[in-house]
Amino acid sequence: MKTIQTGNGKTIEITVDKSLYRKNQEIADANQRLLDEHSIKSVDILGSIGSGKTTLTGQIVARLKNRMKIAAVAGDITTTIDADRIRENGGEVLQINTDGGCHLDANMVKKSLEVLDLKNLDLVLIENVGNLICPGGYPVGAHQRMVVVSTTEGPYMIVKHPHIFKDASVLAINKMDLAEAMEVDLQQLKSDALSIKPDIKVVFTNGRTGQGVTELISALNLSE
Amino acid sequence: MHETAIGMSVVETVLAEAGKKNALKVSKVELEIGELTFLGTEQLEFWIRNGFDDTIAAEAEIVFRSAPARINCDACGYEGGLPRKEDPADHLILPVFSCPECGSTKITITSGRDAFIRSIEIETK
């Protein structure tokens, strides 16, 4: 810390240079190292409330549970509804309630990892709080990020929330069966995403029927 | 709503730094907000002021500076701003997360995703 005397000993300017995000990044990095030490793959799943994050997480768990030991961490402001829904599909689930917080942060995920039996896990799915804005700024240490958007959110949700895509490797465009009723053009949504993030893998899904989930698992490199 | 968490973190850090120097008053706080942090400065100021209420920083001037996004291209070595795509029909200016020179998506964001308390000005005896 540098101190500059600017007046007659009464007013002092102090250089602070303190990052407001570094602590989160450091914990996120430590989370990822811990996952790597146990050879565990991980996905941070982002999307609006009602986009289908939990349904798709449940579908992924149902398809992979015989091949991999999976834990899901479900972040919500309150309730255990999401955790219960994922558990029905056969995954170990840990519920994090943020008590009003609009995103999971690396420290909350760190606490979850302390509780999980990491020696007996191959995959951790982290379902973030339903919100397309705040979670974007808080990496939690997952190896990749998947964003879920749905046709019922209308035609502009991708171009209105470009920043959420900057760290995402996979985009699931969910509720593909409702596109026509919503007058939403699926190819336009895909091209919006690709114009912002040219290397994002886009998969069309229907969480209810499971359509597209195999492709989603493959886009996440979880099929082997 | 993440402005609340960041705002409270600013309040705690500023008061702690001022406390170390036995400040009687904090007169100025200078913040640098990265373009890619999604922080709204108006809301952020509201929460900082809320936290400063009834403290030695209650009357502090809060100065915001913006740090534009910058990238390095791992493929061609380009260093500079993040390209944008303008869509006049929708009045949209979209960031494009790829290199404006060679189109590679192997880019590293070197600036714009962090926020800093750069300096504070305090009054002492």
Side-chain angles (χ1 to χ4, degrees), chain B residues 18-89:
Chain B
K20 280 189 219 164
K21 298 283 174 192
N22 300 315
L24 299 172
K25 197 177 163 186
V26 177
S27 46
K28 192 170 163 185
V29 175
E30 204 174 300
L31 303 171
E32 183 184 300
I33 310 294
E35 189 192 353
L36 300 175
T37 58
F38 338 91
L39 287 169
T41 51
E42 218 176 299
Q43 290 126 299
L44 187 54
E45 179 162 0
F46 173 85
W47 287 108
I48 295 170
R49 293 235 170 267
N50 186 57
F52 279 168
D53 265 358
D54 301 322
T55 72
I56 56 165
E59 289 164 28
E61 178 194 357
I62 302 172
V63 179
F64 289 100
R65 300 199 194 292
S66 171
R70 288 184 69 82
I71 60 168
N72 277 1
C73 176
D74 303 338
C76 76
Y78 166 85
E79 285 179 29
L82 191 67
R84 273 146 218 289
K85 183 187 158 198
E86 289 194 41
D87 187 341

Side-chain angles (χ1 to χ4, degrees), chain A residues 3-48:
Chain A
T3 305
I4 310 158
Q5 204 81 15
T6 55
N8 54 2
K10 292 200 170 172
T11 302
I12 303 171
E13 190 187 311
I14 304 169
T15 303
V16 180
D17 279 342
K18 207 160 206 174
S19 161
L20 296 163
Y21 286 98
R22 189 171 300 143
K23 190 78 194 160
N24 186 74
Q25 188 63 55
E26 283 168 6
I27 299 171
D29 292 345
N31 287 347
Q32 191 164 107
R33 281 197 300 275
L34 183 63
L35 290 163
D36 285 339
E37 280 163 23
H38 292 87
S39 306
I40 298 172
K41 295 180 176 181
S42 58
V43 186
D44 182 13
I45 302 169
L46 311 174
S48 303

Side-chain angles (χ1 to χ4, degrees), chain A residues 10 12 14 20 163 167 196, chain B residues 38 97 113 115 120 122 124:
Chain A
K10 292 200 170 172
I12 303 171
I14 304 169
L20 296 163
H163 297 298
D167 297 313
I196 296 164
Chain B
F38 338 91
F97 295 101
R113 57 190 311 164
I120 62 173
I122 58 168
T124 57

Side-chain angles (χ1 to χ4, degrees), chain A residues 46-100:
Chain A
L46 311 174
S48 303
I49 297 168
S51 58
K53 294 183 299 300
T54 308
T55 307
L56 286 175
T57 303
Q59 288 277 9
I60 293 170
V61 169
R63 275 172 172 70
L64 293 178
K65 67 181 176 191
N66 294 329
R67 284 189 278 142
M68 300 173 110
K69 291 184 194 117
I70 308 169
V73 176
D76 263 306
I77 287 176
T78 180
T79 78
T80 60
I81 295 168
D82 283 2
D84 299 340
R85 284 169 61 199
I86 297 166
R87 197 172 287 118
E88 284 165 18
N89 289 285
E92 183 187 346
V93 188
L94 202 64
Q95 178 78 41
I96 305 179
N97 284 135
T98 59
D99 287 330

Side-chain angles (χ1 to χ4, degrees), chain A residues 1 3 9-22 100 102-103 133-134 136-138 159 162-163 166-167 195-199, chain B residues 1-2 6 9-10 13 17 21 36-39 85 92 94-98 105 109 113-125:
Chain A
M1 190 169 69
T3 305
K10 292 200 170 172
T11 302
I12 303 171
E13 190 187 311
I14 304 169
T15 303
V16 180
D17 279 342
K18 207 160 206 174
S19 161
L20 296 163
Y21 286 98
R22 189 171 300 143
C102 50
H103 57 269
I133 303 161
C134 311
Y138 292 86
V159 290
H163 297 298
K166 73 176 183 292
D167 297 313
S195 71
I196 296 164
K197 181 84 166 127
D199 59 350
Chain B
M1 243 161 65
H2 55 307
I6 291 290
S9 169
V10 170
T13 309
E17 295 290 339
K21 298 283 174 192
L36 300 175
T37 58
F38 338 91
L39 287 169
K85 183 187 158 198
L92 286 170
L94 293 175
V96 180
F97 295 101
S98 64
T105 53
I109 299 170
R113 57 190 311 164
D114 207 335
F116 297 88
I117 303 173
R118 284 302 182 196
S119 66
I120 62 173
E121 205 176 272
I122 58 168
E123 288 172 25
T124 57
K125 271 184 210 168

